[in-house]
mmCIF file of all heavy atoms in Angstrom:
data_model
loop_
_atom_site.group_PDB
_atom_site.id
_atom_site.type_symbol
_atom_site.label_atom_id
_atom_site.label_comp_id
_atom_site.label_asym_id
_atom_site.label_seq_id
_atom_site.Cartn_x
_atom_site.Cartn_y
_atom_site.Cartn_z
ATOM 1 N N CYS A 22 8.027 -9.765 -8.125
ATOM 2 C CA CYS A 22 8.245 -11.034 -7.358
ATOM 3 C C CYS A 22 8.125 -12.171 -8.323
ATOM 4 O O CYS A 22 8.958 -13.174 -8.233
ATOM 5 C CB CYS A 22 7.225 -11.068 -6.204
ATOM 6 S SG CYS A 22 7.632 -10.064 -4.783
ATOM 7 N N ILE A 23 7.193 -12.167 -9.251
ATOM 8 C CA ILE A 23 7.031 -13.215 -10.297
ATOM 9 C C ILE A 23 8.345 -13.361 -11.022
ATOM 10 O O ILE A 23 8.920 -14.478 -11.247
ATOM 11 C CB ILE A 23 5.855 -13.018 -11.067
ATOM 12 C CG1 ILE A 23 4.594 -13.210 -10.355
ATOM 13 C CG2 ILE A 23 5.892 -13.977 -12.321
ATOM 14 C CD1 ILE A 23 3.338 -12.790 -11.085
ATOM 15 N N LEU A 24 8.830 -12.194 -11.488
ATOM 16 C CA LEU A 24 10.024 -12.261 -12.363
ATOM 17 C C LEU A 24 11.327 -12.618 -11.494
ATOM 18 O O LEU A 24 12.110 -13.412 -12.013
ATOM 19 C CB LEU A 24 10.323 -10.862 -12.934
ATOM 20 C CG LEU A 24 9.357 -10.347 -14.022
ATOM 21 C CD1 LEU A 24 9.639 -8.934 -14.423
ATOM 22 C CD2 LEU A 24 9.364 -11.307 -15.243
ATOM 23 N N GLY A 25 11.311 -12.275 -10.281
ATOM 24 C CA GLY A 25 12.473 -12.691 -9.380
ATOM 25 C C GLY A 25 12.363 -14.227 -9.186
ATOM 26 O O GLY A 25 13.448 -14.881 -9.202
ATOM 27 N N ALA A 26 11.249 -14.693 -8.923
ATOM 28 C CA ALA A 26 11.024 -16.166 -8.798
ATOM 29 C C ALA A 26 11.482 -16.991 -10.030
ATOM 30 O O ALA A 26 12.154 -17.987 -9.908
ATOM 31 C CB ALA A 26 9.619 -16.508 -8.372
ATOM 32 N N LEU A 27 11.075 -16.442 -11.223
ATOM 33 C CA LEU A 27 11.418 -17.107 -12.398
ATOM 34 C C LEU A 27 12.987 -17.087 -12.675
ATOM 35 O O LEU A 27 13.528 -18.033 -13.080
ATOM 36 C CB LEU A 27 10.664 -16.511 -13.611
ATOM 37 C CG LEU A 27 9.147 -16.800 -13.611
ATOM 38 C CD1 LEU A 27 8.529 -16.053 -14.665
ATOM 39 C CD2 LEU A 27 8.853 -18.247 -13.704
ATOM 40 N N TRP A 28 13.500 -15.848 -12.529
ATOM 41 C CA TRP A 28 14.950 -15.554 -12.814
ATOM 42 C C TRP A 28 15.766 -16.461 -11.897
ATOM 43 O O TRP A 28 16.683 -17.234 -12.308
ATOM 44 C CB TRP A 28 15.248 -14.225 -12.580
ATOM 45 C CG TRP A 28 16.625 -13.735 -13.004
ATOM 46 C CD1 TRP A 28 17.773 -14.496 -12.896
ATOM 47 C CD2 TRP A 28 16.973 -12.520 -13.584
ATOM 48 N NE1 TRP A 28 18.915 -13.800 -13.351
ATOM 49 C CE2 TRP A 28 18.413 -12.562 -13.754
ATOM 50 C CE3 TRP A 28 16.319 -11.364 -13.949
ATOM 51 C CZ2 TRP A 28 19.086 -11.465 -14.306
ATOM 52 C CZ3 TRP A 28 17.067 -10.369 -14.481
ATOM 53 C CH2 TRP A 28 18.438 -10.389 -14.662
ATOM 54 N N PHE A 29 15.570 -16.342 -10.558
ATOM 55 C CA PHE A 29 16.472 -17.104 -9.676
ATOM 56 C C PHE A 29 16.149 -18.602 -9.751
ATOM 57 O O PHE A 29 17.135 -19.343 -9.551
ATOM 58 C CB PHE A 29 16.170 -16.565 -8.213
ATOM 59 C CG PHE A 29 16.749 -15.190 -7.923
ATOM 60 C CD1 PHE A 29 15.936 -14.264 -7.453
ATOM 61 C CD2 PHE A 29 18.057 -14.877 -8.296
ATOM 62 C CE1 PHE A 29 16.471 -12.963 -7.253
ATOM 63 C CE2 PHE A 29 18.498 -13.662 -8.062
ATOM 64 C CZ PHE A 29 17.739 -12.671 -7.496
ATOM 65 N N GLY A 30 14.925 -18.998 -9.966
ATOM 66 C CA GLY A 30 14.700 -20.464 -10.162
ATOM 67 C C GLY A 30 15.330 -21.042 -11.412
ATOM 68 O O GLY A 30 15.920 -22.081 -11.376
ATOM 69 N N TYR A 31 15.322 -20.241 -12.467
ATOM 70 C CA TYR A 31 16.006 -20.678 -13.722
ATOM 71 C C TYR A 31 17.609 -20.844 -13.425
ATOM 72 O O TYR A 31 18.153 -21.818 -13.756
ATOM 73 C CB TYR A 31 15.739 -19.742 -14.838
ATOM 74 C CG TYR A 31 16.524 -20.034 -16.107
ATOM 75 C CD1 TYR A 31 16.135 -21.150 -16.903
ATOM 76 C CD2 TYR A 31 17.710 -19.407 -16.377
ATOM 77 C CE1 TYR A 31 16.803 -21.482 -18.050
ATOM 78 C CE2 TYR A 31 18.431 -19.688 -17.521
ATOM 79 C CZ TYR A 31 17.984 -20.820 -18.345
ATOM 80 O OH TYR A 31 18.651 -21.177 -19.487
ATOM 81 N N ASP A 32 18.145 -19.787 -12.827
ATOM 82 C CA ASP A 32 19.609 -19.841 -12.578
ATOM 83 C C ASP A 32 19.892 -20.935 -11.608
ATOM 84 O O ASP A 32 20.961 -21.529 -11.659
ATOM 85 C CB ASP A 32 20.032 -18.412 -12.036
ATOM 86 C CG ASP A 32 20.296 -17.473 -13.190
ATOM 87 O OD1 ASP A 32 20.288 -17.864 -14.296
ATOM 88 O OD2 ASP A 32 20.421 -16.288 -12.918
ATOM 89 N N GLY A 33 19.099 -21.141 -10.619
ATOM 90 C CA GLY A 33 19.423 -22.172 -9.486
ATOM 91 C C GLY A 33 19.207 -23.584 -9.955
ATOM 92 O O GLY A 33 19.809 -24.416 -9.440
ATOM 93 N N TYR A 34 18.305 -23.795 -10.876
ATOM 94 C CA TYR A 34 17.982 -25.166 -11.216
ATOM 95 C C TYR A 34 18.138 -25.571 -12.676
ATOM 96 O O TYR A 34 18.438 -26.784 -12.922
ATOM 97 C CB TYR A 34 16.430 -25.474 -10.772
ATOM 98 C CG TYR A 34 16.247 -25.422 -9.304
ATOM 99 C CD1 TYR A 34 15.668 -24.416 -8.690
ATOM 100 C CD2 TYR A 34 16.684 -26.482 -8.524
ATOM 101 C CE1 TYR A 34 15.425 -24.307 -7.412
ATOM 102 C CE2 TYR A 34 16.439 -26.475 -7.135
ATOM 103 C CZ TYR A 34 15.862 -25.414 -6.613
ATOM 104 O OH TYR A 34 15.636 -25.341 -5.211
ATOM 105 N N LEU A 35 18.053 -24.741 -13.608
ATOM 106 C CA LEU A 35 17.959 -25.034 -14.989
ATOM 107 C C LEU A 35 19.176 -24.683 -15.796
ATOM 108 O O LEU A 35 19.608 -25.269 -16.730
ATOM 109 C CB LEU A 35 16.710 -24.482 -15.653
ATOM 110 C CG LEU A 35 15.382 -24.966 -15.064
ATOM 111 C CD1 LEU A 35 14.255 -24.240 -15.759
ATOM 112 C CD2 LEU A 35 15.258 -26.413 -15.199
ATOM 113 N N SER A 36 19.880 -23.534 -15.460
ATOM 114 C CA SER A 36 20.995 -23.082 -16.188
ATOM 115 C C SER A 36 22.219 -23.850 -15.802
ATOM 116 O O SER A 36 22.871 -23.588 -14.788
ATOM 117 C CB SER A 36 21.150 -21.547 -15.938
ATOM 118 O OG SER A 36 22.406 -21.078 -16.546
ATOM 119 N N GLU A 37 22.693 -24.761 -16.678
ATOM 120 C CA GLU A 37 23.843 -25.580 -16.344
ATOM 121 C C GLU A 37 25.143 -24.768 -16.330
ATOM 122 O O GLU A 37 26.019 -24.963 -15.459
ATOM 123 C CB GLU A 37 24.016 -26.622 -17.447
ATOM 124 C CG GLU A 37 22.941 -27.716 -17.481
ATOM 125 C CD GLU A 37 22.926 -28.453 -16.205
ATOM 126 O OE1 GLU A 37 23.893 -28.726 -15.623
ATOM 127 O OE2 GLU A 37 21.843 -28.945 -15.719
ATOM 128 N N LYS A 38 25.310 -23.698 -17.103
ATOM 129 C CA LYS A 38 26.463 -22.865 -17.132
ATOM 130 C C LYS A 38 26.538 -22.095 -15.774
ATOM 131 O O LYS A 38 27.599 -22.015 -15.253
ATOM 132 C CB LYS A 38 26.395 -21.881 -18.311
ATOM 133 C CG LYS A 38 27.554 -20.975 -18.409
ATOM 134 C CD LYS A 38 27.406 -19.992 -19.593
ATOM 135 C CE LYS A 38 28.657 -19.140 -19.638
ATOM 136 N NZ LYS A 38 28.445 -18.066 -20.670
#
Side-chain angles (χ1 to χ4, degrees):
C22 284
I23 290 171
L24 292 176
L27 291 174
W28 186 326
F29 290 127
Y31 175 78
D32 280 347
Y34 292 105
L35 301 175
S36 176
E37 292 298 327
K38 183 179 177 187

